[in-house]
Amino acid sequence: QKEVEQNSGPLSVPEGAIASLNCTYSDRGSQSFFWYRQYSGKSPELIMFIYSNGDKEDGRFTAQLNKASQYVSLLIRDSQPSDSATYLCASFGNQFYFGTGTSLTVIP
Amino acid sequence: KAGVTQTPRYLIKTRGQQVTLSCSPISGHRSVSWYQQTPGQGLQFLFEYFSETQRNKGNFPGRFSGRQFSNSRSEMNVSTLELGDSALYLCASSPDGNRETQYFGPGTRLLVL
């Protein structure tokens, strides 16, 4: 079992819809959680991080954390074709673990 | 400010050889982390250096090693290359080691034949 699990997708949503990306983690000692966006052939870029239970919003992005369920999610509102990318979830406790990523395609 | 730079960008080696990859962090950044990305395993943390000291290490064999110089530039070495070492090797720098302020370089793509 990997430390961080993500549905690999692909996930397709129409332009303007909400994209929901999910992630579970196994290390209860994990303290911080990250979402990265990676365009094909490019490096990951950090788009959200969250430490506390609940929601954290930044523009069209909302990260949600539920430590009891060991669950992290990312919501992208008003999805745009430019959001089409692979989204990586990561946890950090004693070590930095990444999921294998969810491929998102936003259809114009 | 210039971003993280990695050299070389592409590399082809044969099994049994060794390879050294270089990473120059953003000016003023003292932390450099290295990652391996493969289609099967995804992104995996290799190690982190801060002010020339290895601060954290992932679950990779001893064939993978690194170091950091006084100017914060870092090198990663892989000895006795195996086919499975073919991957994109990414380095990331941050001012203080915090993941929130970490920026990735473009990566070095290594192919082992």
Side-chain angles (χ1 to χ4, degrees), chain A residues 12-19 78-81 104-108:
Chain A
S12 294
V13 299
E15 184 174 353
I18 295 175
D78 188 25
S79 295
Q80 301 296 309
L104 171 67
T105 299
V106 181
I107 303 166

Side-chain angles (χ1 to χ4, degrees), chain A residues 2 32 34 36 38 41-46 49 51 88 92-100, chain B residues 35 37 39-45 56-59 88 90 99-102 104-107:
Chain A
K2 286 184 70 73
S32 48
F34 304 83
Y36 290 84
Q38 188 172 25
K42 300 293 187 184
S43 307
E45 57 177 321
L46 181 66
F49 59 88
Y51 303 133
L88 304 173
F92 184 72
N94 292 323
Q95 231 193 85
F96 207 14
Y97 293 107
F98 290 82
T100 51
Chain B
Y35 301 86
Q37 188 170 34
Q41 296 298 316
L43 194 59
Q44 297 182 89
F45 170 72
N56 215 343
K57 189 176 188 302
N59 300 323
L88 178 67
L90 292 158
R99 271 66 187 173
E100 301 86 333
T101 54
Q102 187 177 85
F104 282 85

Side-chain angles (χ1 to χ4, degrees), chain A residues 4-7 20-24 32-38 44-50 56 61-65 71-76 86-91 96 98-99 101-102:
Chain A
V4 176
E5 300 270 7
Q6 291 182 255
N7 188 331
S20 178
L21 305 164
N22 305 312
C23 166
T24 58
S32 48
F33 304 87
F34 304 83
W35 283 100
Y36 290 84
R37 177 175 62 199
Q38 188 172 25
E45 57 177 321
L46 181 66
I47 52 174
M48 290 287 286
F49 59 88
I50 186 168
K56 178 183 179 183
F61 299 97
T62 299
Q64 300 173 317
L65 174 60
Y71 178 88
V72 191
S73 66
L74 179 71
L75 300 178
I76 306 175
T86 296
Y87 289 80
L88 304 173
C89 171
S91 70
F96 207 14
F98 290 82
T102 298

